[in-house]
Amino acid sequence: MNRQPSWIAPSILSANFACLGEEINNVLSAGADIIHFDVMDNHYVPNLTIGPLVLESLRKSGIDSTMDVHLMVKPVDRLIGDFLEAGADIISVHPESTEHLHRTLSLIREGGAQAGIVFNPATPLGVLGEVIDLVDLVLIMSVNPGFGGQAFIPQSLNKLADARSIIDSQDRPVRLEIDGGIKAANIADAAAAGADTFVAGSAIFGSDDYAATIAEMRAALRTVA
Ligand code: DX5
Ligand code: ZN
C-alpha cells in the first residue's frame, strides 16, 4: 500500500467565474487541499472553459496552492508547455486525446510537473501498466467528462479498486483521484475503493457554506479505515 493522505480538490468548473480568484481563496480558506482546474475545448468534450492565461492570472494574483490541471482537449501536446509556464503543478491527460501517450506524459514530467493519466467511464485501464512509471496520479472519471453536476457512475468503484491494485504494486507514491459526482454522501465509498484524492465541483461550490461542506466530507473520510 502506498496510500497518500486524503486531499479534497474543489473543481472550479462550478465556481463563479466572475470572481474566480476570490472563489479559490475562499475555498482554500475553507480547507481545500488543492484546486482542480478543468480545461475543455468543445472538441474532445462538448463544453468550453478556461486556458493557460487564466491560470497565469491566478498565479499573478498570488494564489500559490497546488494546481491540478485536468486537460480535456485534443490535440493536447501543444498546450502542455503553456500550462507548465502558467504554473501548473499536476497535469492530467486522457489517453484518447493524444496519439503518443508516452511522449505526452514525458513532456509533462520533463517540464517539471507531475503527470496524471485519466480514464473515462468506458475506457479500460489497459495502458496503465505500460506507462505507470511515467505517472504520479491516476484519475478515474466517475462521470462522462464535460459537465459538472452529473450523477456518480457506481461502476467507477470497481475501476478505482483495480487501479489501486496496480498502484500498490509500485514502490513509489502515486495518487488515485476520483472525479465526478462526489459529495459527502458517497466520498467514503470512493475512499474505501482506494481513492485518496477527491474532486468535487457542484457539491462544494453549490453549497452555502464551503467550510461546512468540506468538513462534512472529511468526517465521512474518517469513517474509512
Ligand atoms: C467533469 C470535470 C469535473 C467536474 C466535476 O468533466 O472533469 O471535474 O467539475 O463536477 P461535479 O463534482 O459537480 O461532478
Ligand atoms: Zn476534472
Side-chain angles (χ1 to χ4, degrees):
M1 276 297 264
N2 57 18
R3 186 84 65 98
Q4 303 294 295
S6 296
W7 277 356
I8 292 177
S11 160
I12 55 175
L13 186 60
S14 292
N16 180 353
F17 281 99
C19 48
L20 186 55
E22 202 180 317
E23 286 272 71
I24 290 175
N25 284 320
N26 287 344
V27 88
L28 289 168
S29 308
D33 297 291
I34 64 172
I35 298 298
H36 187 78
F37 191 103
D38 284 307
V39 182
M40 304 183 183
D41 67 348
N42 188 41
H43 172 68
Y44 179 65
V45 291
N47 199 358
L48 185 64
T49 60
I50 47 179
L53 288 177
V54 174
L55 179 54
E56 190 184 343
S57 299
L58 293 168
R59 287 300 194 210
K60 282 186 182 154
S61 80
I63 290 168
D64 62 1
S65 58
T66 298
M67 285 290 184
D68 171 32
V69 175
H70 176 190
L71 294 182
M72 289 161 275
V73 302
K74 185 177 181 176
V76 67
D77 285 5
R78 207 205 58 75
L79 278 178
I80 286 171
D82 294 349
F83 275 102
L84 289 166
E85 271 184 43
D89 299 288
I90 305 168
I91 300 178
S92 298
V93 298
H94 290 249
E96 299 89 344
S97 69
T98 173
E99 302 296 334
H100 304 289
L101 179 61
H102 189 285
R103 175 183 293 149
T104 304
L105 293 168
S106 301
L107 279 173
I108 298 169
R109 279 276 192 81
E110 285 161 12
Q114 296 200 335
I117 181 170
V118 193
F119 293 92
N120 286 329
T123 304
L125 291 175
V127 297
L128 183 56
E130 307 298 325
V131 294
I132 187 81
D133 289 345
L134 287 173
V135 307
D136 304 289
L137 177 144
V138 177
L139 170 48
I140 303 299
M141 291 305 302
S142 39
V143 298
N144 286 295
F147 301 95
Q150 303 179 79
F152 182 85
I153 298 172
Q155 289 87 342
S156 316
L157 295 174
N158 295 330
K159 196 181 281 181
L160 271 179
D162 291 345
R164 170 50 63 194
S165 305
I166 296 169
I167 287 172
D168 283 349
S169 69
Q170 302 296 298
D171 56 7
R172 65 187 182 85
V174 175
R175 280 196 169 266
L176 180 56
E177 184 171 41
I178 184 83
D179 183 2
I182 291 292
K183 43 191 185 253
N186 62 12
I187 196 168
D189 295 339
D196 53 34
T197 307
F198 307 88
V199 177
S202 52
I204 294 175
F205 285 106
S207 74
D208 293 333
D209 184 338
Y210 300 166
T213 304
I214 292 172
E216 205 185 335
M217 289 177 167
R218 286 206 198 281
L221 288 173
R222 281 194 293 275
T223 66
V224 182

